[in-house]
Every structure is written in C-alpha cells, then in structure tokens.
Amino acid sequence: MGRSQYRLLSATLALYVSACSVSAINVSLPISAPGNSQGLFPTLLSFSIEQDRWPDWTGTWARNEFTHNALLNYAALTGQPPNIRVGANSEDHTFWSPTVTIEEASFPPPNTVTPYPEATSITVGNAYYALSRFLPRGTRMTWGVNLGADNVTNAVNMAKAIVGAFRSWTVQASGVVLERIEVGNEADLYKNNGLRPSNWTVEEYVPDWISVAGPVAEAAGINGRDGPVTLQGAAFAGQGFTPREIFDLGILDSAPGKAISVISQHRYSAAFCNGGDFPLISFMSKANVRSNLTVFEADIAATQAKGLLYILGETNSIACHGAPGVSNTAGAALWAVDYTLQAATLGIKEAYFHEGVGYKYNFIQPITLNRSTVDGSPLNPPSPPHVQPSYYAGLLINTFVGSTKTSQIVELSVDDPNVSGYAAFEHGKLVRAAFINLNAWLLSSTGDRPSVHIDLDFAQGATADIDAFWHKGSAVARRIIIDHADDTANLTWAGQSYETPDAHPAGRLVLEHVSLSDGIDLRATEAVLISF
C-alpha cells in the first residue's frame, strides 16, 4: 500500500472513531523480551476433533477442500499447520474391527439442546486412520485410544491400526505425521458416566491406565519420550484428577509412563449439557479468562519440573458443544484471542480447540448442515461449509505468533478492566503487539459506541535502542472488525472476509498506518494487531 493510501486510511479511521465515547490509557511495551517471556509454538492454536465424525472433516475418497483450505490459511501465517488431536468423548466408545472399512456409527436422535449429538457406538477399520493423509502437509497428529472400555485387546488393535496407517505409503507421502497416542479421554469423569464404578479414584486410575497403556505402547513401538511417537498423559476434564496426583502415584516411573512427553488437561468456562442461559457480557470478561486459566498454574509448574510439555489438549468456550448466543458469536472470537494468548503467558504450549460437526463453538463447519446448530430445526436451504466467528481469532493469533519459530510472549500491563494486551518478540526484540477490547457492544446497545485510546510507550532497553525504536515513527495495524458482539457472521480480519464458499479471503487487504507518537484507538468489541 502506498504512503498516500495509508494517509487516507488513517484519516478515515479518525472519523470512524470520532463518534465514539473515548477513554485513554497508557501502555508500556518492552522493546526487549523480559525474563518472564514464554516461548511460542507455531502450533499454539491447534484443534481437537470429535472422533465420531472424523471422516466428515477429512473426506473419505478425496480430501475435504473446505477443511484443507481453512487449515492452510492458518499454516500460511506460522509456517506450520495446526496440530490435530482426534478423540474426545467418542474416543472411549470406539472399537476396531477387521470387517469394517472406514466407520460405522450409531447416533442418538437430535434435540433442541444438542442438535448434533455424539455417537454412542463407533466401529472403525484401518482405512479410518489412513484418512489422516487428507490433512495439510506437515500436520502433526495425536490419536486417541479407548481406555473407557477397559478392553486391552481393543486398545492394542486400535494402536496397531493407527501406527499401521502412518507407516503406509499414502500417509507417509502426504507428509502428515503421528506425534502422540492418548490412552483414554477424561478418565476423571468415568465414575460419572458409567465407564467405572462411582467410587473410582485416582489411586485406581494409575494402575488401570498402566495396564492398558503398556500394551498400547508396546504394540505401537513406543519406547520412551524421546522417540518419534510418544504418549500423551492425563487428558483430564479439569481438576477431578490432577497431574500432580498421578506424578505422586508414580505414573512416570512405569514403563508406559516413561513414554509420556506431554501432559494434557481440558478446560471449558461452563457447560451447556442441559441447556441454560449464559450472558455474553459475563462471558466476555478479562477477569474470568484469567481465573479460568490460573487454576492450572500448580499443574503447569509440576509438569515443567518433570521436563514435560503442558497443553490444553481439549478446550473451548462452553462444554457440550457450546451455548447459543455465546459460543457462536463474534464475542467468542475476541474471547478466544485473549484466552489463547493468556494461556501462552502461563506456559501452556498449545490449546486444542474442540470441534465437531454442527457444534456451536466450532471455528470451522466442514460439511453442509441440514439442521440448525442452535436448536436443531430444519434448514432450508441447507447451510454449506463455512467458518464461524471464532475462526477470525486464529488469524490474529497466528499472525501474532509469526513464522520465525523464535517468538516469545509477555502480557502487557493494561489499566482497563476490559482491555488486554500482549507483546511478541523475535530474537529477543519487540515485533508485534495485540490489544483486545472485551467490552461487549451488542445489537441492543444504545448511545455512542465506547472506544479506548491507547498511548504507546517503550521501555526496558538501552536509551539508544529506545530512541531508535521511536525513530521508526510508525507501525502497521490489522483489526478484527465486528459490528456487534452477538453477531454470528460478517466479521473481517484486516479488511477481508473468510466467510466464503472455499474459505479463501475476499476483499481488499486493509493495513492501517499507526503513528507511534499518536497511539491507536480501539473500539468496544474489537481487536488489533500492531506490527512494528
């Protein structure tokens, strides 16, 4: 974009915010990475896929082009596709059979609370796992194996089928890689869902897991945590069981425990399993984002002390596929930006946002839907594959992370209860900053739309370095533009829409000129990424 175009855009934005109610804050950005900075993985934003509808995501005889394009958009920003974990609740209802080619599944009838229920029984064959070849080249995968059935033979057969698929020439030629196997999903809930007795304890879980994970690791040729394929541990629903407890019980000293390279826990802000009312304004809360994540600080520290990586192996807004008017809204996109970047500052290396077919909280709807994701009512015409508002969160997050594989993150001190800020560094130098305004501007809101003016200051460097930074004079900004927090469509990222038939962006790329001395305005329900 030419200089004259930048000036025109800056003038337009000045008029754009002039009708808003503006408050001002000063934010200091370190120009060198502070000692508490956390390294950023290019796969910080990753996805967990419900196992029952896996073939819909990939395609069966040819790849699902919409899924492929949507994931490639993310890969283009970091140089690596999001990691994919396939498992979740249906992981513990899956059985392998030599007589099934791909998949046979039984589903309960839909209802208004759960328009797209999970399968109660899934039987798969070898070709099911070979569908991994349809993901973008370079994708790293975690596959779930059934622990809930307490059937060692089935778990071993699943593991052999998984490993066999990734040894096949078709999957190897695709460049998609098996990274980990997860044995069991949310075992801390087994006592509630009938998979174990109601008095089952973590003390019983550890030997139970070892008795199944040991043969699985042996069948898969997994010998330790330094190999090309390792085990993913825990996968707990929250704090029912904790990594600290299973460490104390000696799980890492067992043969399969010595192959655990990653500890996974799951997190949702609430649950919609039986319906309910979840106010969007309360959900879009800077304070709640932090309180939902800081509960894991002790587990993160204990995991890192063992030399293991810590991830959120399954997460999203509200459990049981999301809540209408919250999980499927533009406000959820801003929440996801703040939530993911906040997680990274705590040492959480990857956040796997859970996806299914027809789930309210999806980033991506991979196939045509014939009934509403909100209440299950028939759709006429059907809804073709499309991205949902949260997809835009991934575009900002991955642009923030960048493609050098050297980036680090630190949270910025922002004296505003609705505004969050983060800085990214490459090779130790400040390169980007993100600001998220979680103040919910709704369809029902009246009066002037609030806006915050952010004055930028630069610190934590030699005087000459700070002066040189100021001497740059300007930066470039990209925004997630949202009309209302409760909108379910019509967002843009840097002026472009991804709500297209093929997930390719449409519209002119909009890069804003930002004067460092003038700062930047940020409206309620908006996010901005500044590149220095």
Side-chain angles (χ1 to χ4, degrees):
M1 181 181 290
R3 188 181 299 271
S4 61
Q5 289 174 288
Y6 275 131
R7 283 201 295 266
L8 176 61
L9 183 54
S10 297
T12 301
L13 287 167
L15 291 172
Y16 185 57
V17 299
S18 62
C20 300
S21 173
V22 181
S23 60
I25 53 177
N26 184 277
V27 178
S28 179
L29 292 86
I31 64 169
S32 299
N36 63 339
S37 300
Q38 292 283 347
L40 286 169
F41 280 16
T43 50
L44 169 63
L45 177 84
S46 288
F47 291 107
S48 165
I49 307 294
E50 190 69 45
Q51 196 155 305
D52 56 0
R53 302 292 296 268
W54 165 242
D56 290 327
W57 284 86
T58 57
T60 51
W61 309 114
R63 75 185 184 197
N64 182 321
E65 292 293 343
F66 191 86
T67 299
H68 202 261
N69 291 343
L71 294 175
L72 282 181
N73 289 337
Y74 286 155
L77 300 173
T78 62
Q80 188 171 331
N83 284 356
I84 301 293
R85 171 242 190 184
V86 185
N89 284 344
S90 47
E91 173 180 330
D92 284 314
H93 298 281
T94 300
F95 292 83
W96 178 86
S97 170
T99 63
V100 172
T101 303
I102 296 180
E103 179 188 28
E104 295 175 359
S106 299
F107 292 86
N111 57 61
T112 57
V113 173
T114 311
Y116 290 86
E118 297 158 16
T120 53
S121 175
I122 307 134
T123 306
V124 303
N126 292 341
Y128 176 83
Y129 300 105
L131 298 179
S132 303
R133 68 189 184 275
F134 291 134
L135 293 174
R137 177 172 293 275
T139 302
R140 299 169 184 264
M141 295 196 67
T142 298
W143 269 99
V145 166
N146 188 339
L147 172 67
D150 208 14
N151 184 325
V152 174
T153 299
N154 179 62
V156 166
N157 286 338
M158 290 177 72
K160 287 179 177 178
I162 291 166
V163 172
F166 281 88
R167 287 174 180 164
S168 68
W169 72 266
T170 54
V171 177
Q172 289 194 348
S174 74
V176 177
V177 176
L178 176 65
E179 193 166 55
R180 296 189 291 273
I181 290 177
E182 175 184 277
V183 182
N185 173 75
E186 298 183 348
D188 49 332
L189 298 184
Y190 285 0
K191 64 183 179 182
N192 302 324
N193 60 25
L195 293 176
R196 294 292 186 278
S198 59
N199 60 350
W200 198 56
T201 66
V202 67
E203 287 81 9
E204 293 169 293
Y205 161 78
V206 170
D208 194 340
W209 182 87
I210 292 170
S211 71
V212 178
V216 163
E218 183 177 355
I222 299 172
N223 299 312
R225 63 178 58 108
D226 297 324
V229 182
T230 60
L231 295 182
Q232 181 158 294
F236 299 143
Q239 298 294 99
F241 298 165
T242 70
R244 287 165 290 156
E245 289 176 318
I246 63 174
F247 294 162
D248 289 345
L249 290 167
I251 196 169
L252 297 180
D253 298 324
S254 68
K258 291 176 181 177
I260 293 174
S261 64
V262 172
I263 290 294
S264 163
Q265 284 182 282
H266 300 173
R267 188 61 168 172
Y268 294 88
S269 298
F272 191 70
C273 308
N274 299 307
D277 182 27
F278 297 87
L280 180 57
I281 292 176
S282 300
F283 174 72
M284 293 175 62
S285 164
K286 178 179 174 179
N288 286 348
V289 166
R290 280 138 189 80
S291 63
N292 276 327
L293 289 168
T294 53
V295 296
F296 295 116
E297 286 181 325
D299 289 323
I300 296 168
T303 299
Q304 293 174 341
K306 298 292 186 181
L308 308 177
L309 294 178
Y310 184 96
I311 66 171
L312 291 178
E314 181 185 319
T315 192
N316 215 309
S317 55
I318 295 174
C320 300
H321 310 173
V326 177
S327 303
N328 59 337
T329 68
L334 299 186
W335 168 86
V337 174
D338 192 29
Y339 181 83
T340 307
L341 297 184
Q342 180 65 205
T345 68
L346 299 177
I348 297 171
K349 293 306 180 184
E350 293 167 336
Y352 288 70
F353 282 86
H354 195 52
E355 308 278 293
V357 167
Y359 294 1
K360 302 170 189 72
Y361 54 41
N362 274 20
F363 284 48
I364 303 162
Q365 294 290 2
I367 63 170
T368 297
L369 303 178
N370 295 307
R371 57 183 180 269
S372 166
T373 64
V374 172
D375 59 11
S377 58
L379 294 176
N380 187 17
S383 176
H386 60 281
V387 302
Q388 297 198 154
S390 290
Y391 184 81
Y392 290 88
L395 297 169
L396 189 153
I397 291 164
N398 280 18
T399 306
F400 180 90
V401 170
S403 59
T404 66
K405 296 182 172 59
T406 67
S407 54
Q408 298 169 276
I409 186 174
V410 70
E411 184 175 12
L412 300 171
S413 177
V414 180
D415 188 18
D416 188 292
N418 294 309
V419 179
S420 301
Y422 302 90
F425 306 85
E426 290 178 354
H427 305 290
K429 302 299 182 184
L430 176 66
V431 289
R432 288 176 291 276
F435 295 99
I436 308 102
N437 191 337
L438 293 167
N439 187 5
W441 181 254
L442 305 172
L443 282 161
S444 59
S445 298
T446 59
D448 293 338
R449 184 170 181 169
S451 179
V452 173
H453 179 78
I454 301 172
D455 286 312
L456 304 173
D457 194 11
F458 301 98
Q460 293 188 18
T463 301
D465 292 336
I466 295 174
D467 290 344
F469 208 92
W470 277 114
H471 188 69
K472 292 180 181 180
S474 64
V476 174
R478 298 168 174 84
R479 293 179 192 261
I480 296 179
I481 296 291
I482 296 167
D483 288 337
H484 306 94
D486 40 358
D487 287 345
T488 57
N490 301 317
L491 290 74
T492 60
W493 163 245
Q496 296 183 309
S497 171
Y498 288 76
E499 296 158 44
T500 60
D502 56 8
H504 289 150
R508 183 174 65 91
L509 181 68
V510 175
L511 304 177
E512 303 170 23
H513 169 86
V514 178
S515 167
L516 297 184
S517 59
D518 292 343
I520 193 167
D521 292 295
L522 185 64
R523 298 184 307 163
T525 310
E526 192 170 82
V528 65
L529 178 76
I530 305 172
S531 298
F532 299 104

